[in-house]
Amino acid sequence: MKKRIILSVVAVGIFFTTVSFKNDFFEIAKQIEIFTTLFKELNMNYVDETNPAELMDTAIKSMLTELDPYTKFYNEQDVETARIRNSGEYTGIGASVKTRDDKITIIEPHKGYPADNAGLKAGDEIIKIGDIVLSDFDSDAGELLKGSPGSEVQVTYLRQGKQETTTLERGKIDVEAVPYYKLLEDNTGYIVLSKFNAKASTQVIDALKTLKADGADKIILDLRGNPGGLLSEAINVTNIFIPKGELVTTTKSVIKKYNRTYVTKNEPVDTEIPLVVLIDGRSASASEIVSGGLQDYDRAVIVGARSFGKGLVQRPKQLTYGTQLKVTISRYYTPSGRCIQALDYWNRDEDGNAVRTKSAEYNEFKTKAGRSVFDGGGVLPDVQLETSKFSGVTSALVQDEAIFNFATNYYYTHKLESPEDFKFTSSDFSEFKEFLKTTNFKYTTQTEKELKETLEIAVKEEFDDDVQNNYNNFLASIQQAKTKAIDDKKPEIERLITDEIIKRYFYKEGLYDYYVINNPEIEEAKNILNSTNRYSKILK
């Protein structure tokens, strides 16, 4: 009798699953048919000539914006770019650039590579490549800079309003995962891991072994600004410091085949050496798997500011004609069970923006030693520093490129002989605030957004006459607070300005040389590592 009941339940489960699958399949087929007929009629009957490829590209990418920013469609060109980025090698000009509608801005030329050799500087705006004026070019202008090694291309650019021309010789570019490491004066090894490409774990191991051979007896691993990369390399980097067979991360999805556990597979390099990991608001994804895992095992002290909070995993799916879909398939969890995803893309606000998890909604978890850690908002450091944080006003300054543009102007109006000579003074900060006035820098706070919503509700309820006067007073108070916020957040703003200015004169290498002498996060890390009692107390 019991067996018959169980079989009945199973049969019912199969029936509903089958019906659900058929309903989904029918709905998908129906919508594809609607879209196909619409696309055909549009291209055949529109008043002007259409470009089917561009229309489809726009349609697909617009559809994906309804999901999360990591689920993306890659055309053939994008697929190749992604492959190059993960491999760590490509042919190009050797510079970080930002492409806009009518120009390409040089963000950072890399020392000794084609862009640098041709004399291009950060802030230069390329407006013409060869005979092609970028304002007349409809496709991705960045592709015009690519070509075979040794081939040349002439570029016309604007520098401080003046038009200039130079010739670039394209070359092979090696993207280092570890661009810098050094033994500091107190036998502390300092390693910068800037990205998780295919070279990440190998280069960290090489740097660690070299530093230990030179006398390092404690390590600082710098993950600040590291946006992530390959999940496999995040596992391998964590494995450097924890034993074989330990859980690093778990992925969970509504699709069972994507539910996986990832454990360390290799013998570690060193499970005992004291370790501090530096993170900030731009440390994301793989950086959070490493820092969160080492924190959960009490293997490292985490220093800096709360990380970005990307707890989603993507996987590439091959499509037809060499295209690809990178789709979010699961969420990942640290060994203690935390999902550090900060933004909820599936429950958006009235403006369609993803909602950030509030601190009151965080759940508590325990590290191996019983320390409290929390989910929902990135990895929270064991030791937080103001200089590492990204407040609302600081993020707005970065997004508005105010700091970048100020550093560009500074470079052309100030002389600097060496990183050691630089000191960002109160006078420099005043100069920065005056510069902001010329750029009409503005940003909207969350308070302003919610206040505006309150007024709109008051209008609907016909209370606006009573509320309007108080609303204006509130806005005036907020404007005063926003002006004051620039001064209140001086430490974090000053650090970002310093970074940009140093890179202008001495490249990324010079910035790291400056860091090891002047950076407050590195100084705090050294203080922790040089105090055995403090290091142990934080972890236990």
Side-chain angles (χ1 to χ4, degrees):
M1 184 69 174
K2 187 180 293 185
K3 184 176 181 181
R4 200 173 295 168
I5 293 172
I6 291 172
L7 288 173
S8 299
V9 172
V10 171
V12 170
I14 292 173
F15 171 77
F16 280 117
T17 302
T18 305
V19 170
S20 175
F21 173 75
K22 286 183 177 178
N23 285 340
D24 287 346
F25 183 80
F26 172 76
E27 189 62 29
I28 291 171
K30 173 184 172 183
Q31 297 305 323
I32 289 174
E33 185 176 353
I34 291 171
F35 181 81
T36 302
T37 53
L38 179 149
F39 189 67
K40 178 182 176 182
E41 294 297 333
L42 181 68
N43 281 284
M44 290 178 64
N45 298 294
Y46 190 69
V47 63
D48 291 322
E49 185 177 350
T50 60
N51 185 321
E54 287 186 3
L55 280 177
M56 182 60 75
D57 204 62
T58 301
I60 293 172
K61 290 177 179 177
S62 296
M63 174 178 66
L64 296 182
T65 59
E66 293 297 310
L67 302 175
D68 63 78
Y70 313 111
T71 296
K72 293 182 178 181
F73 169 71
Y74 288 161
N75 57 34
E76 295 169 274
Q77 191 172 289
D78 297 330
V79 170
E80 179 62 15
T81 300
R83 185 193 66 77
I84 289 168
R85 184 172 59 247
N86 287 333
S87 70
E89 295 181 358
Y90 69 97
T91 298
I93 67 169
S96 300
V97 301
K98 186 171 186 177
T99 305
R100 291 182 176 171
D101 295 336
D102 58 348
K103 62 187 177 184
I104 296 175
T105 302
I106 302 293
I107 301 300
E108 181 187 348
H110 304 307
K111 187 176 181 180
Y113 283 115
D116 180 43
N117 293 337
L120 290 177
K121 303 289 183 184
D124 289 347
E125 299 174 348
I126 298 175
I127 57 174
K128 185 178 179 183
I129 300 175
D131 296 327
I132 299 175
V133 177
L134 299 195
S135 58
D136 299 331
F137 191 69
D138 294 332
S139 301
D140 182 5
E143 292 301 309
L144 298 173
L145 294 173
K146 297 178 181 178
S148 59
S151 62
E152 293 186 345
V153 60
Q154 189 179 73
V155 298
T156 302
Y157 61 95
L158 296 177
R159 175 180 293 171
Q160 298 288 283
K162 182 181 177 182
Q163 184 171 304
E164 300 187 30
T165 302
T166 188
T167 299
L168 291 164
E169 181 180 319
R170 301 179 181 97
K172 182 181 177 183
I173 313 300
D174 290 323
V175 182
E176 301 295 341
V178 176
Y180 185 95
Y181 64 90
K182 185 176 183 178
L183 180 66
L184 307 185
E185 72 285 345
D186 59 350
N187 288 333
T188 298
Y190 173 63
I191 303 172
V192 177
L193 177 56
S194 62
K195 50 180 59 68
F196 284 85
N197 61 21
K199 301 178 179 181
S201 59
T202 299
Q203 292 191 349
V204 172
I205 290 171
D206 289 344
L208 178 60
K209 288 182 176 179
T210 300
L211 290 168
K212 288 181 65 178
D214 290 342
D217 53 19
K218 41 198 175 295
I219 294 293
I220 299 171
L221 179 63
D222 195 341
L223 297 180
R224 290 176 297 175
N226 186 323
L230 300 174
L231 173 61
S232 58
E233 284 302 291
I235 309 299
N236 292 338
V237 170
T238 307
N239 195 174
I240 294 170
F241 301 102
I242 66 172
K244 182 179 179 180
E246 295 286 357
L247 175 67
V248 176
T249 188
T250 304
T251 59
K252 297 180 182 179
S253 171
V254 293
I255 302 170
K256 289 185 178 180
K257 69 178 181 178
Y258 295 138
N259 295 340
R260 295 188 59 184
T261 57
Y262 295 86
V263 299
T264 51
K265 295 182 178 180
N266 305 312
E267 293 300 328
V269 177
D270 195 322
T271 61
E272 300 295 332
I273 193 167
L275 177 65
V276 166
V277 176
L278 304 181
I279 61 172
D280 63 14
R282 293 179 293 178
S283 305
S285 190
S287 292
E288 295 172 302
I289 290 176
V290 172
S291 56
L294 293 175
Q295 186 179 51
D296 281 358
Y297 282 112
D298 308 290
R299 178 62 188 88
V301 173
I302 313 301
V303 173
R306 187 185 292 278
S307 63
F308 182 81
K310 180 181 179 290
L312 305 174
V313 179
Q314 287 73 45
R315 174 171 292 183
K317 295 289 183 180
Q318 302 301 323
L319 307 177
T320 56
Y321 297 103
T323 61
Q324 192 178 94
L325 172 67
K326 188 179 78 169
V327 58
T328 296
I329 59 168
S330 58
R331 293 177 175 84
Y332 72 76
Y333 297 78
T334 70
S336 67
R338 291 182 286 168
C339 180
I340 52 78
Q341 177 64 26
L343 293 175
D344 185 352
Y345 296 104
W346 296 270
N347 296 290
R348 298 173 182 254
D349 62 19
E350 293 179 357
D351 297 325
N353 298 316
V355 178
R356 180 170 290 276
T357 305
K358 297 178 181 178
S359 57
E361 300 170 344
Y362 294 166
N363 298 301
E364 183 178 0
F365 296 83
K366 295 293 184 181
T367 69
K368 189 174 182 179
R371 297 186 298 139
S372 294
V373 288
F374 299 88
D375 67 359
V379 175
L380 182 66
D382 302 306
V383 178
Q384 300 182 67
L385 296 180
E386 291 297 318
T387 48
S388 293
K389 293 182 179 179
F390 277 75
S391 61
V393 64
T394 303
S395 298
L397 288 168
V398 172
Q399 188 172 1
D400 197 58
E401 297 183 2
I403 291 175
F404 178 84
N405 292 331
F406 174 75
T408 300
N409 287 350
Y410 188 99
Y411 175 77
Y412 291 108
T413 55
H414 296 73
K415 289 185 177 181
L416 193 59
E417 298 299 328
S418 69
E420 293 78 16
D421 294 337
F422 180 73
K423 176 67 177 176
F424 193 78
T425 64
S426 297
S427 176
D428 291 327
F429 194 68
S430 297
E431 186 179 333
F432 172 68
K433 289 192 290 184
E434 288 300 314
F435 172 79
L436 289 182
K437 294 177 183 178
T438 67
T439 64
N440 296 317
F441 167 70
K442 295 178 181 178
Y443 76 104
T444 303
T445 65
Q446 186 62 35
T447 305
E448 287 174 293
K449 291 178 183 177
E450 295 185 5
L451 197 59
K452 182 181 178 182
E453 291 173 5
T454 302
L455 181 63
E456 290 171 353
I457 294 171
V459 171
K460 291 178 183 178
E461 296 181 345
E462 299 182 353
F463 292 148
D464 50 310
D465 290 338
D466 300 322
V467 172
Q468 186 70 55
N469 193 43
N470 287 330
Y471 174 78
N472 292 334
N473 291 335
F474 269 126
L475 275 185
S477 299
I478 291 171
Q479 289 302 322
Q480 291 178 358
K482 283 165 67 174
T483 301
K484 185 172 178 289
I486 300 288
D487 289 318
D488 290 344
K489 303 303 179 183
K490 180 182 176 182
E492 56 192 79
I493 295 171
E494 183 178 296
R495 183 206 134 192
L496 292 176
I497 295 174
T498 298
D499 289 0
E500 282 294 341
I501 289 175
I502 293 291
K503 282 191 295 184
R504 290 296 192 281
Y505 293 90
F506 310 108
Y507 305 91
K508 209 60 170 284
E509 293 83 355
L511 177 60
Y512 295 132
D513 284 335
Y514 180 84
Y515 272 176
V516 296
I517 299 172
N518 299 283
N519 186 254
E521 287 83 4
I522 293 177
E523 193 60 36
E524 180 67 7
K526 288 164 62 179
N527 290 337
I528 293 169
L529 289 169
N530 286 320
S531 173
T532 304
N533 289 339
R534 186 182 177 198
Y535 181 83
S536 299
K537 186 176 180 181
I538 292 171
L539 294 179
K540 295 179 181 178

